[in-house]
Amino acid sequence: MEIIKKNWKIKLLSLFIAIVLWAFIIANENPTVSTRISSVPIIYENLGKLDQKGLILNQDIVKNLDVSISGKRSNIISITPQHIIISADLTNMKEGRNKVNLSYTLPEGIKIDEAPRTLDVNVEKIITKDFIVKVKNESKLQSDYILESTKVTPEKITVRGSRANVDSISNVYVKLDLSNLENDITLNKEIYAENSEGNKVEGLIFGQEFVNINAMVSKQKEVSIIISNKGNLPNGYKLIDAKLSKSKVYIKGPKDVIDNIESVKTQDIDLSNITGSRKVNVNLSLPTDVVLVDSTTSYTVDLEIKKIETTKEVKE
């Protein structure tokens, strides 16, 4: 500690002089240094001329390059990928694999040490193809709801793109979220294409990006069946019992209608001409916009009817 304190003023002055001399040397000599810049974007020029020829770049093109540059330290210290321009002119490209020359534009005082001078690009023919738009249901409806139907407008879409991309399309879809669906809806939804592996196909141009999807939904509910009669049995006959083949039934329809129904009636059974026990086929009387979930089931009412015995008076 004593050694450090001894002649501390001289030591501090020496340190200050050293720092000043180092700064002076750096500022005046400004040495040449090298560095590597990563992910410099490539600008593909004259894409319009490809389009005029009915051609398009494959989507797997190289989009960025790494380059090594050098220059004076004061110039190079602030260089970023945005300061370097790499351009590729596609004017003379043909269908298939092409080799394109790369040109570099750099800030003044900076030069390229190491970088690719050419690049292989794959140019494909543009094709168009029509696809039916299918609905892909996301999630499930609530347990007491039924998806009656879906309709897409327009039903077909024209897809334009490279031959490889268009040929890879397995289906064109529009997504429909069912999780909270309770009533009929019409939505404007974006479409997309998938390949056979279920992956989204990029680089496509659709005839229109959005389509209308109409979904019709019904609510279902189990309700009781009530027997409905009209008229009276002929004189001398009595209805002992009436039994339905099924006491409950599932109905479906708009939510606001179904929520207010607790039971449905059979169509009227005319008793006026019945003079004995029998089994009667009946239909159910349903409110407007309500139908049976299972329309194939038949319903019968088993009528138990007895004749009333009359006692004659005996005269003495």
Side-chain angles (χ1 to χ4, degrees):
M1 195 67 178
E2 292 297 327
I3 295 174
I4 296 174
K5 291 181 178 179
K6 189 175 181 180
N7 299 323
W8 67 271
K9 292 184 179 180
I10 295 175
K11 292 176 181 177
L12 185 61
L13 179 61
S14 298
L15 178 61
F16 175 74
I17 292 172
I19 293 173
V20 171
L21 287 173
W22 177 83
F24 176 80
I25 291 170
I26 292 298
N28 285 275
E29 291 191 3
N30 195 15
T32 298
V33 296
S34 298
T35 190
R36 190 162 184 81
I37 305 296
S38 300
S39 299
V40 180
I42 302 172
I43 299 173
Y44 288 94
E45 298 178 336
N46 293 313
L47 285 167
K49 291 187 177 180
L50 280 184
D51 189 67
Q52 291 173 7
K53 298 176 184 178
L55 301 173
I56 191 171
L57 275 181
N58 182 277
Q59 64 177 7
D60 295 328
I61 58 171
V62 177
K63 296 180 174 64
N64 302 284
L65 288 175
D66 298 342
V67 299
S68 294
I69 60 173
S70 61
K72 293 296 183 180
R73 184 179 182 279
S74 60
N75 293 333
I76 212 168
I77 195 171
S78 60
I79 295 295
T80 68
Q82 286 67 41
H83 292 98
I84 302 172
I85 299 174
I86 305 176
S87 55
D89 189 352
L90 303 176
T91 300
N92 298 315
M93 299 296 102
K94 299 179 180 179
E95 184 178 5
R97 189 162 291 278
N98 296 259
K99 193 175 291 292
V100 60
N101 293 324
L102 299 176
S103 61
Y104 295 82
T105 304
L106 300 100
E108 186 177 352
I110 305 298
K111 67 175 184 177
I112 293 287
D113 284 346
E114 184 182 351
R117 294 297 173 180
T118 62
L119 192 67
D120 288 336
V121 295
N122 191 20
V123 177
E124 298 184 51
K125 188 72 175 177
I126 296 173
I127 65 171
T128 58
K129 191 174 180 181
D130 290 338
F131 290 87
I132 294 174
V133 182
K134 298 181 178 180
V135 178
K136 176 171 278 193
N137 296 329
E138 292 186 311
S139 66
K140 294 182 178 180
L141 280 169
Q142 299 173 66
S143 59
D144 49 353
Y145 286 87
I146 300 171
L147 181 63
E148 298 289 354
S149 66
T150 55
K151 182 180 180 181
V152 177
T153 307
E155 295 180 350
K156 285 186 177 181
I157 286 291
T158 299
V159 182
R160 182 174 184 267
S162 69
R163 189 191 304 277
N165 286 351
V166 174
D167 285 346
S168 74
I169 297 173
S170 176
N171 288 294
V172 173
Y173 287 116
V174 57
K175 289 183 179 180
L176 176 62
D177 183 5
L178 300 176
S179 58
N180 296 311
L181 202 57
E182 295 183 346
N183 296 292
D184 297 348
I185 57 167
T186 300
L187 300 171
N188 197 30
K189 300 282 286 184
E190 187 175 9
I191 60 173
Y192 67 99
E194 284 187 2
N195 59 25
S196 58
E197 296 177 351
N199 298 319
K200 188 175 181 180
V201 181
E202 304 288 353
L204 301 172
I205 300 172
F206 298 101
Q208 62 185 67
E209 293 185 2
F210 292 83
V211 294
N212 287 327
I213 176 170
N214 175 256
M216 298 186 69
V217 177
S218 294
K219 185 173 184 180
Q220 64 177 352
K221 184 178 182 180
E222 188 180 39
V223 296
S224 300
I225 303 175
I226 298 174
I227 298 172
S228 178
N229 299 324
K230 73 174 183 178
N232 298 310
L233 290 171
N235 290 334
Y237 291 90
K238 181 180 180 180
L239 178 62
I240 304 301
D241 196 10
K243 292 182 180 179
L244 272 162
S245 57
K246 292 181 180 294
S247 61
K248 291 181 179 294
V249 65
Y250 275 98
I251 58 173
K252 64 181 181 179
K255 178 182 182 300
D256 56 346
V257 176
I258 295 296
D259 284 345
N260 292 315
I261 299 175
E262 297 301 328
S263 63
V264 294
K265 293 182 178 181
T266 65
Q267 291 182 344
D268 290 339
I269 301 173
D270 188 357
L271 302 177
S272 59
N273 295 312
I274 299 178
T275 57
S277 297
R278 67 182 61 184
K279 188 174 288 186
V280 180
N281 294 321
V282 293
N283 294 319
L284 303 182
S285 181
L286 301 173
T288 304
D289 296 329
V290 174
V291 296
L292 301 177
V293 173
D294 181 5
S295 60
T296 62
T297 301
S298 58
Y299 299 87
T300 60
V301 176
D302 194 0
L303 298 173
E304 183 182 354
I305 297 172
K306 286 188 176 182
K307 187 174 182 179
I308 302 171
E309 297 293 337
T310 58
T311 303
K312 295 182 179 179
E313 294 183 2
V314 179
K315 294 183 179 179
E316 292 184 358

